[in-house]
Amino acid sequence: MFFDTHAHLNAEQYNEDLQEVIDRALSEGISNIVVVGFDRPTIEKAMELTEKYDFIYASVGWHPVDAIDMTEDDLQWIEELSGHPKVVALGEMGLDYYWDKSPKGIQQEVFRKQIRLAKKVKLPIVIHNRDATADIVEILKEEGAGEVGGIMHCFSGSPEIAKECVDMNFYISLGGPVTFKNAKKPKEVADVIPLEKLLIETDCPYLTPHPFRGKRNEPSYVKLVAEQIAEIKGLSVEEVAQATTENAKKLFGIN
């Protein structure tokens, strides 16, 4: 059984055929999915999905690209939702220096506020990082984020940074890029990070794994990520599936 730890089934790309996508996931042995909400509309949709499907859980937070839009009311709302039995993490949160909608200072402030909230409500955090690795690591250390730990979502950094994150009580989550022929770093990370600190994800509808690259991603494809990790580590797919599922359930507190 496979656990897709980061999916956006709340995206408009699934408006026409969401049930078919979910049925395909179940038929491919996907046992659990965490749907990630990162602003008001996507959080609301994620919560709706958790009510409808017993194997779907939610992570709720505020995306760094939209940090400039987050209000104190939004943060209060996230805190209220954190008490819901099917909310298993806060995020995705972090820093994104690729898009320039939200100034860096505001992104950092919103990131820190969400880490502090996670420590208050005792939930792990899901980290979004784009072109901001040094600042992310620094803020995680300064805020004592290791107290709750979490996930370096769709990790694209070096093995050295991955090890540093593992030392801070974070799991390294790999997605579609580990299957790309030219993606050297994710393959190196898959090789050196112990299986007990790895998770798998799709980040669907984005980052579709080979051989479906360029098409819409979906949770059933998380199996391809597990297959690639198994090949790199010289393990069976079943071993990778079992370990990453156990890792996810342990982190999210799912029995």
Side-chain angles (χ1 to χ4, degrees):
M1 301 298 258
F2 303 89
F3 195 133
D4 185 354
T5 59
H6 196 113
H8 296 286
L9 294 177
N10 44 358
E12 61 185 15
Q13 285 92 329
Y14 303 107
N15 285 354
E16 302 302 314
D17 63 344
L18 178 60
Q19 189 56 53
E20 288 94 323
V21 168
I22 287 172
D23 290 343
R24 274 195 295 276
L26 293 173
S27 71
E28 287 292 331
I30 316 305
S31 58
N32 297 96
I33 302 169
V34 170
V35 174
V36 178
F38 53 83
D39 59 13
R40 284 253 170 192
T42 58
I43 290 172
E44 285 168 357
K45 187 73 193 288
M47 296 308 296
E48 285 171 22
L49 290 169
T50 69
E51 299 291 348
K52 189 172 179 184
Y53 301 97
D54 61 355
F55 55 90
I56 290 182
Y57 295 83
S59 179
V60 298
W62 212 266
H63 201 284
V65 170
D66 301 312
I68 197 165
D69 301 324
M70 193 186 84
T71 65
E72 285 304 315
D73 283 348
D74 294 323
L75 194 65
Q76 178 65 38
W77 180 53
I78 291 168
E79 181 171 354
E80 288 163 13
L81 288 175
S82 72
H84 190 286
K86 293 194 79 181
V87 170
V88 294
L90 295 193
E92 57 190 285
M93 64 178 78
L95 303 174
D96 191 314
Y97 293 169
Y98 180 81
W99 303 105
D100 60 1
K101 179 185 168 186
S102 295
K104 289 180 182 178
I106 291 174
Q107 288 191 41
Q108 292 171 12
E109 183 187 349
V110 166
F111 185 22
R112 288 180 189 274
K113 282 180 177 176
Q114 291 186 87
I115 296 171
R116 289 167 193 167
L117 174 58
K119 288 167 71 177
K120 180 181 175 184
V121 301
K122 296 182 169 53
L123 282 177
I125 56 179
V126 178
I127 304 298
H128 171 99
N129 170 22
R130 192 161 187 193
D131 298 346
T133 302
D135 286 355
I136 291 238
V137 170
E138 185 180 352
I139 288 171
L140 290 174
K141 286 179 177 171
E142 287 176 359
E143 295 294 336
E147 185 183 311
V148 289
I151 303 175
M152 306 307 291
H153 140 65
C154 217
F155 189 82
S156 60
S158 67
E160 292 73 29
I161 295 291
K163 287 175 180 172
E164 202 173 340
C165 294
V166 166
D167 289 343
M168 284 193 290
N169 195 26
F170 281 80
Y171 286 85
I172 305 299
S173 185
L174 297 173
V178 78
T179 70
F180 299 169
K181 288 188 171 67
N182 58 350
K184 197 172 153 216
K185 277 187 188 170
K187 288 179 173 32
E188 289 174 351
V189 167
D191 187 30
V192 304
I193 297 301
L195 189 55
E196 60 267 22
K197 296 307 292 187
L198 286 178
L199 298 171
I200 56 175
E201 64 168 270
T202 56
D203 197 23
C204 63
Y206 318 107
L207 297 174
T208 314
H210 177 80
F212 302 107
R213 197 174 178 182
K215 300 191 171 92
R216 181 189 69 176
N217 201 0
E218 58 179 71
S220 62
Y221 295 161
V222 80
K223 196 173 176 180
L224 298 166
V225 177
E227 286 170 357
Q228 181 66 65
I229 294 170
E231 188 180 319
I232 291 167
K233 286 191 164 299
L235 300 169
S236 70
V237 178
E238 290 74 20
E239 285 173 292
V240 172
Q242 184 180 350
T244 53
T245 296
E246 285 174 3
N247 294 345
K249 288 185 172 181
K250 181 180 169 189
L251 175 69
F252 294 134
I254 297 170
N255 296 325

